[in-house]
Amino acid sequence: KKVTGKRRMRQIQILYGHCLQLYTQPPLENISLVEFEQFAVDRMKLLKTVENLGVTHIKTSEDYSKKLHAEISSLNFPHRTEAVASEYEKRRKDHISHFILRLAYCQTEDLRRWFIQQEMDLFRHRFNDLSPKSKSDFLHRNSLQYETEKKSLMEKLINSSYAFSGCTVEEQDFYKVPFQDALDLVRMRKVFVKDGFAYVPHQDIVTIVLNDYRTRLSKALALTARSLPVVQSDERLQPLLSHLSHAYVGQDYSIQKNIGKISLEQIDSLSTKSFPPCMRQLHKALRDSHHLRHGGRMQYGLFLKGIGLTLDQALQFWRAEFLRGKVDADKFDKAYAYSIRHMFGKEGKRTDYTPYSCMKVILSNPPSQGDHHGCPFRHSDPELLKQKLQSYKISSGGINQILELVKGMHYQLACQKYFELTHSIDDAGFSLNHPNQYFSESQKLLTGGKEVKRELDSPRRPHAAAGSENSKAPPETPSSSNRVPQEVMDDLDSFFQEE
């Protein structure tokens, strides 16, 4: 065993001789499903942090680097160039976790685009954090060996770059790079060009490496997507990979902390004050038409369960609203009551279902004509979204900020900005990943951290404020404990097909 352990360590030392890699070779070792999932979850958390920091901070700022470095360290990813045993294990985790997420994020164009962007930003940070010697070592290890040339071009290099003096040019290498590989630097006029080559200073070589990395990763994801059917045929991996692409890694909202503390009388008021736009939209549609299609009932029903509605309250809430529409009591009891009890784990497989996370709302079951579920920031036409935000009394400046985030496909950050604007704060102080998290954080602010205070239900008029919405108005990463297998969710879906 000692010999085997030493041999394994030697193999790791050879494979992970540098703290940074281009992930050209997939891992070949066997790992447990527990390690597979944990590595994937940790990398998702890291990439989500990369996304959030990239929008809220300047990517080259000291504050950005400090916060990202702290997250890399806390999640046990490599951040040191020293070759010590503990660092080798972190490099192994970095290598394996990257390839796991490739499998999960190669499935659609949106997923691939998101994954590439976050991996690029993470790589840029880690490369810039290297010492000049480590950067040179990295280039050598990855066969990115460009000729260095400086002496014969010293005067031209100085004259062609306003940022360099003779002393600065003397202190660093210049790499002779094919013109087409340095187009970004040429466009910004940051390099000297001669005979089809750009002379790139050592401090800007990261641009060349990033372009190379993007090209490799893009091709690799396309190849992975073609091979995915083979991987998905493995019954052990398929549920994990299906879940990872819209995985939620935060608090488990299937555990109802406020159970029974929300009254039906409060829901109309809470919908305008503490519901995220996706749930506010569903609540208004339900009040207006007294019906929601199955996607809306799933999304909204689980959210209401998560904020504290009991099973009896849920049955009363849905029954009263549907009976105001075209559904009679007999049809409700036959077609809908069972599915509500099923949602609360009282029927069928008796699974305690978890409210949908933001990623699930954004990436699964997009709404079609007549639907009201989904994420307003992801699924609404920009002009319609703008009108909706105006009806919510958001300032024009705030609307522009939100629409810019939506344009950049930062849907959760757009919702977080909406939270800040509607609660009159500059910084939410959290990363929004879940509609129930939105509700919880809103209530903390509005109640001063106190628990939600229940108001008595009115048995006669549970929907007295049904028109309140109209009267006030003229959207970058799961533990086994909160993960619901896809086949179970499909089973629940089947109970909501009745329109």
Side-chain angles (χ1 to χ4, degrees):
K1 288 185 177 179
K2 286 185 177 178
V3 173
T4 303
K6 288 181 180 178
R7 185 182 296 119
R8 178 178 178 276
M9 181 52 70
R10 280 199 298 271
Q11 290 173 343
I12 288 177
Q13 288 173 347
I14 293 171
L15 189 58
Y16 306 125
H18 199 280
C19 64
L20 188 61
Q21 55 179 304
L22 289 173
Y23 310 103
T24 54
Q25 296 297 323
L28 300 175
E29 64 176 292
N30 295 323
I31 64 170
S32 69
L33 287 175
V34 173
E35 196 172 37
F36 182 98
E37 184 174 12
Q38 189 57 56
F39 281 7
V41 169
D42 285 350
R43 194 172 194 94
M44 279 209 48
K45 289 180 179 177
L46 180 58
L47 295 186
K48 195 65 192 171
T49 299
V50 170
E51 180 188 30
N52 290 341
L53 289 176
V55 175
T56 58
H57 295 71
I58 298 173
K59 293 178 183 178
T60 54
S61 69
E62 184 179 348
D63 195 32
Y64 172 90
S65 297
K66 190 181 296 183
K67 289 184 177 180
L68 185 50
H69 185 82
E71 186 71 6
I72 290 171
S73 179
S74 69
L75 291 172
N76 281 322
F77 283 98
H79 61 93
R80 295 167 57 188
T81 55
E82 296 87 348
V84 295
S86 61
E87 199 64 20
Y88 283 127
E89 287 300 326
K90 293 177 183 178
R91 295 175 187 180
R92 171 179 170 269
K93 177 180 180 179
D94 174 51
H95 181 214
I96 295 172
S97 65
H98 171 87
F99 276 91
I100 293 172
L101 289 200
R102 273 194 193 181
L103 292 172
Y105 279 84
C106 70
Q107 300 176 50
T108 68
E109 183 60 35
D110 281 350
L111 291 175
R112 288 193 290 270
R113 190 186 299 114
W114 184 88
F115 181 68
I116 289 173
Q117 184 59 58
Q118 309 326 313
E119 286 285 345
M120 291 275 290
D121 287 346
L122 176 61
F123 184 93
R124 181 191 294 108
H125 165 78
R126 293 175 64 192
F127 187 87
N128 286 336
D129 209 33
L130 296 175
S131 66
K133 183 179 182 303
S134 293
K135 288 179 182 178
S136 296
D137 185 32
F138 174 85
L139 295 175
H140 177 75
R141 284 174 176 272
N142 290 279
S143 301
L144 297 172
Q145 299 175 54
Y146 303 108
E147 290 181 44
T148 57
E149 190 167 338
K150 180 168 57 179
K151 291 183 179 179
S152 61
L153 299 171
M154 178 74 75
E155 185 177 347
K156 291 182 178 179
L157 290 174
I158 296 171
N159 293 336
S160 65
S161 179
Y162 63 87
F164 294 124
S165 64
C167 181
T168 308
V169 170
E170 187 65 39
E171 289 173 354
Q172 64 178 314
D173 290 325
F174 280 74
Y175 298 93
K176 186 179 179 181
V177 177
F179 173 85
Q180 64 271 22
D181 292 344
L183 292 179
D184 289 342
L185 295 173
V186 172
R187 182 166 54 248
M188 294 184 287
R189 301 187 178 186
K190 296 185 71 173
V191 291
F192 173 65
V193 179
K194 180 183 179 184
D195 298 333
F197 289 92
Y199 292 83
V200 181
H202 186 85
Q203 69 178 39
D204 289 327
I205 196 64
V206 63
T207 303
I208 309 301
V209 178
L210 277 172
N211 285 340
D212 183 86
Y213 181 46
R214 180 189 289 276
T215 301
R216 293 180 192 230
L217 185 53
S218 182
K219 289 180 180 177
L221 287 172
L223 289 172
T224 305
R226 274 186 247 160
S227 307
L228 200 58
V230 178
V231 179
Q232 289 179 329
S233 66
D234 190 323
E235 294 179 354
R236 301 165 302 168
L237 297 181
Q238 196 277 332
L240 287 172
L241 294 176
S242 296
H243 182 72
L244 276 173
S245 61
H246 49 76
Y248 170 63
V249 293
Q251 181 179 333
D252 182 1
Y253 288 99
S254 63
I255 302 169
Q256 295 173 281
K257 292 184 176 180
N258 293 319
I259 188 164
K261 294 181 180 178
I262 301 291
S263 75
L264 299 185
E265 283 289 330
Q266 291 174 283
I267 294 178
D268 284 305
S269 173
L270 289 172
S271 71
T272 58
K273 294 189 297 186
S274 292
F275 281 18
C278 56
M279 301 305 169
R280 184 173 180 176
Q281 171 177 282
L282 282 165
H283 182 75
K284 184 178 186 301
L286 178 62
R287 291 302 200 208
D288 288 347
S289 63
H290 316 300
H291 188 271
L292 284 176
R293 298 177 71 179
H294 76 275
R297 297 196 299 273
M298 288 277 289
Q299 183 175 318
Y300 191 40
L302 288 171
F303 170 79
L304 290 175
K305 174 193 171 190
I307 69 172
L309 253 62
T310 64
L311 173 58
D312 288 342
Q313 285 179 309
L315 286 167
Q316 182 184 350
F317 173 77
W318 290 102
R319 182 187 178 89
E321 198 59 55
F322 274 42
L323 262 57
R324 297 177 68 197
K326 298 178 180 179
V327 176
D328 59 32
D330 186 56
K331 182 175 181 181
F332 180 86
D333 290 340
K334 289 180 178 178
Y336 301 103
Y338 180 90
S339 63
I340 295 170
R341 292 195 299 273
H342 192 277
M343 187 192 304
F344 278 77
K346 303 301 181 184
E347 301 285 358
K349 297 179 180 178
R350 300 189 181 276
T351 301
D352 191 14
Y353 293 98
T354 304
Y356 288 1
S357 68
C358 290
M359 288 294 279
K360 183 169 181 62
V361 171
I362 291 168
L363 295 174
S364 64
N365 188 27
S368 57
Q369 187 70 30
D371 286 328
H372 298 281
H373 65 275
C375 171
F377 302 107
R378 170 65 180 88
H379 299 119
S380 294
D381 175 83
E383 189 56 39
L384 293 177
L385 176 61
K386 182 178 180 180
Q387 292 174 18
K388 188 185 294 289
L389 293 172
Q390 287 172 339
S391 75
Y392 292 163
K393 309 301 182 186
I394 304 297
S395 67
S396 58
I399 291 174
N400 289 335
Q401 291 180 63
I402 289 173
L403 293 178
E404 276 300 310
L405 290 168
V406 169
K407 187 178 179 181
M409 296 185 295
H410 303 296
Y411 309 116
Q412 289 163 249
L413 292 171
C415 192
Q416 189 163 316
K417 175 56 67 176
Y418 171 87
F419 180 97
E420 292 167 354
L421 292 167
T422 54
H423 291 77
S424 301
I425 56 174
D426 293 328
D427 185 359
F430 62 89
S431 294
L432 182 61
N433 293 299
H434 203 293
N436 289 83
Q437 178 194 15
Y438 183 108
F439 176 83
S440 177
E441 295 292 343
S442 173
Q443 284 295 292
K444 282 182 189 176
L445 279 175
L446 297 176
T447 64
K450 298 176 183 177
E451 290 187 347
V452 180
K453 185 177 180 181
R454 179 191 170 101
E455 296 172 7
L456 293 176
D457 289 330
S458 170
R460 291 188 180 179
R461 295 185 66 205
H463 307 306
S468 60
E469 179 82 13
N470 289 332
S471 64
K472 290 191 178 184
E476 202 77 331
T477 82
S479 66
S480 57
S481 64
N482 65 9
R483 181 165 47 82
V484 181
Q486 184 61 43
E487 61 268 27
V488 178
M489 291 306 297
D490 290 342
D491 184 49
L492 180 58
D493 269 334
S494 67
F495 291 108
F496 283 85
Q497 296 302 320
E498 176 69 39
E499 296 300 345

